[in-house]
Amino acid sequence: MEKHIYDEKNGLGYTLYGDYYLPNLELPEDEEAHYGKYGMLRKTYLKEHRKAYYQMLIRQGKLNKHLNKVDREAHERMDILVAQMAEKQGVTELFKAEQPMLWVRKMNGIRTAAEEMVLTEIVYG
């Protein structure tokens, strides 16, 4: 009995294990994971709420690429939003030098609002 066979109809190879031929399946190569906070949040969201999409990304070998992209976009959007909101509210370096505690309080509020927008638009969208 042959140890390895190839099925022309479906294009899969099979290997004999005991009495059964099992398909030779491999997941496609995925890029290296470089994601951080937002990528991990997206991964958890996909696992819990978008299971089919999550499984599809894994099977196609695109999960890490997707999570890296989401993380990068979220960080870029955070930087832009924080800068725009700080400018609009007049939270400048001069303000930081004059009233450091008030500056910290305002910047924390700005970062919180910006992160809420990023989470809604990019991570959970």
Side-chain angles (χ1 to χ4, degrees), residues 84-110:
Q84 288 176 345
M85 293 169 85
E87 182 182 333
K88 192 168 188 173
Q89 294 183 25
V91 181
T92 62
E93 290 297 315
L94 179 61
F95 185 73
K96 179 181 178 180
E98 292 172 355
Q99 299 183 37
M101 293 306 290
L102 184 56
W103 180 87
V104 168
R105 189 170 69 218
K106 286 188 177 248
M107 285 305 291
N108 284 341
I110 289 169

Side-chain angles (χ1 to χ4, degrees), residues 35 38-47 54 63 67:
Y35 55 86
Y38 299 111
M40 288 187 274
L41 289 171
R42 177 69 174 177
K43 184 177 182 178
T44 302
Y45 169 74
L46 291 176
K47 272 185 182 178
Y54 176 75
L63 179 63
L67 297 176

Side-chain angles (χ1 to χ4, degrees), residues 64-78:
N64 286 342
K65 182 178 182 180
H66 174 75
L67 297 176
N68 288 339
K69 180 182 173 212
V70 166
D71 191 69
R72 185 176 53 255
E73 287 177 1
H75 279 288
E76 289 170 1
R77 186 78 171 126
M78 273 293 292

Side-chain angles (χ1 to χ4, degrees), residues 19-52:
D19 293 337
Y20 301 99
Y21 281 102
L22 300 177
N24 301 330
L25 299 176
E26 292 183 19
L27 290 175
E29 289 292 320
D30 198 356
E31 74 178 48
E32 203 170 314
H34 297 291
Y35 55 86
K37 173 184 177 180
Y38 299 111
M40 288 187 274
L41 289 171
R42 177 69 174 177
K43 184 177 182 178
T44 302
Y45 169 74
L46 291 176
K47 272 185 182 178
E48 294 175 2
H49 301 284
R50 305 278 311 272
K51 292 175 183 151

